[in-house]
């Protein structure tokens, strides 16, 4: 199989997971795309574009379930975070960044998984903006911008549809800004734009539709556990990648 075919299969599977949970597509696709042979700048553009397109479709479908104040607070943090990320990404050691991100995400996920409802913290506007800030920074440096917001939304005790809808709003804002910044800085590899990117995005759209059909069929308690497990898995995958 060619690199593009393997990449399309990867995006199909990753976006099915992302369509069901509202995030994690990039977390699943990144290690696999690295193994296939894509480099990091290409993967960042692939993930940001595929997530933007698929989450925009979700946002149109679930816009009535979006908490606009929460998404606005996330966006208020994500924009300066993305600016900071694109300003320093050229000076950061890529492996050190991934290792640090992986360790932090794994620990947070384990705390959520093991502590469960004993954690009484309920996010307010400052913590929501902080989660957006971290997510924005990770967006332009690694494209792994989901875990901080997944942790925050888990504390909000949303039902699956609300969780997915709010995540979609966050992703649309963050990924538009991130791609614009990367383009302005000349960090979009021209060789990924054609024909690879359209093919990979199409595979992501198909996977997203498959996963989205499963969202309403997953019990709330099961959904919450899956989200926490994915946060842990994303941290480990980031370390291994």
């Amino acid at each position: 199989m060619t690199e593009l075919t393997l990449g399309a299969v990867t995006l199909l599977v990753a976006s099915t997971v992302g369509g069901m949970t509202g995030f994690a597509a990039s977390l699943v696709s990144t290690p696999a795309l690295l193994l296939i042979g894509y480099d990091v700048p290409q993967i960042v553009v692939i993930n940001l574009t595929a997530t933007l397109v698929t989450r925009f479709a979700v946002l149109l479908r679930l816009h009535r379930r979006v908490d606009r104040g929460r998404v606005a607070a996330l966006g208020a943090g994500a924009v300066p975070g993305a600016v900071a990320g694109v300003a320093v990404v050229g000076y950061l050691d890529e492996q050190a960044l991934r290792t640090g991100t992986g360790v932090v995400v794994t620990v947070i996920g384990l705390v959520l998984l093991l502590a469960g409802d004993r954690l009484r913290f309920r996010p307010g506007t400052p913590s929501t903006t902080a989660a957006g800030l971290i997510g924005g920074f990770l967006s332009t440096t690694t494209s792994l911008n989901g875990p901080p917001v997944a942790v925050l939304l888990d504390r909000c005790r949303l039902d699956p549809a609300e969780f997915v809808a709010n995540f979609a709003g966050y992703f649309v804002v963050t990924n538009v800004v991130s791609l614009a910044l990367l383009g302005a800085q000349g960090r979009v590899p021209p060789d990924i734009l054609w024909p690879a990117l359209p093919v990979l995005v199409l595979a992501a759209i198909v996977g997203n539709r498959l996963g989205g059909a499963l969202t309403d069929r997953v019990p709330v308690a099961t959904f919450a556990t899956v989200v926490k497990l994915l946060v842990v898995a994303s941290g480990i995958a980031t370390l291994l990648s």
Side-chain angles (χ1 to χ4, degrees), residues 133-152:
L133 181 71
I134 298 169
F137 181 83
L138 292 175
S139 181
T140 48
T141 53
T142 67
S143 80
L144 301 176
N145 54 0
V149 177
V151 171
L152 178 121

Side-chain angles (χ1 to χ4, degrees), residues 31-53:
L33 290 174
L34 285 168
L35 289 173
I36 291 168
Y38 290 89
D39 60 34
V40 173
Q42 291 175 325
I43 292 171
V44 169
V45 173
I46 291 167
N47 283 338
L48 290 176
T49 305
T51 302
L52 171 61
V53 172

Side-chain angles (χ1 to χ4, degrees), residues 15 30 46 67 78 84 95 99 102 130 142 144-145 153 158 165 171 181 192 195 224 235:
S15 295
T30 296
I46 291 167
D67 184 324
Q95 188 56 49
T99 299
T142 67
L144 301 176
N145 54 0
L153 294 181
L158 306 176
F171 274 134
L181 289 170
I192 199 64

Side-chain angles (χ1 to χ4, degrees), residues 29-202:
S29 66
T30 296
L33 290 174
L34 285 168
L35 289 173
I36 291 168
Y38 290 89
D39 60 34
V40 173
Q42 291 175 325
I43 292 171
V44 169
V45 173
I46 291 167
N47 283 338
L48 290 176
T49 305
T51 302
L52 171 61
V53 172
T54 56
R55 294 301 94 188
F56 184 74
V58 171
L59 185 60
L60 291 177
R61 178 167 56 89
L62 296 177
H63 66 278
R64 298 183 187 277
R65 308 298 296 274
V66 174
D67 184 324
R68 296 183 181 181
R70 181 180 292 122
V71 171
L74 287 169
V79 172
V83 171
V86 81
V88 304
V89 66
Y91 303 98
L92 296 175
D93 180 82
E94 182 182 303
Q95 188 56 49
L97 177 63
R98 288 182 176 276
T99 299
T101 301
V103 169
V104 172
V105 170
T106 302
V107 170
I108 290 173
L110 287 172
V111 169
L112 285 175
L113 187 63
L114 298 176
D117 290 335
R118 286 176 288 176
L119 289 175
R120 301 297 181 185
F121 172 70
R122 296 297 296 269
T125 299
S127 56
T128 301
T129 304
L133 181 71
I134 298 169
F137 181 83
L138 292 175
S139 181
T140 48
T141 53
T142 67
S143 80
L144 301 176
N145 54 0
V149 177
V151 171
L152 178 121
L153 294 181
D154 176 76
R155 295 295 88 197
C156 294
R157 302 293 194 273
L158 306 176
D159 66 46
E162 291 174 320
F163 186 98
V164 170
N166 282 273
F167 232 133
Y170 158 75
F171 274 134
V172 168
V173 172
T174 306
N175 290 20
V176 165
V177 172
S178 297
L179 286 168
L181 289 170
L182 291 170
Q185 292 290 319
R187 295 187 178 278
V188 176
D191 57 340
I192 199 64
L193 296 177
W194 183 267
L197 193 59
V199 172
L200 297 173
V201 170
L202 179 60

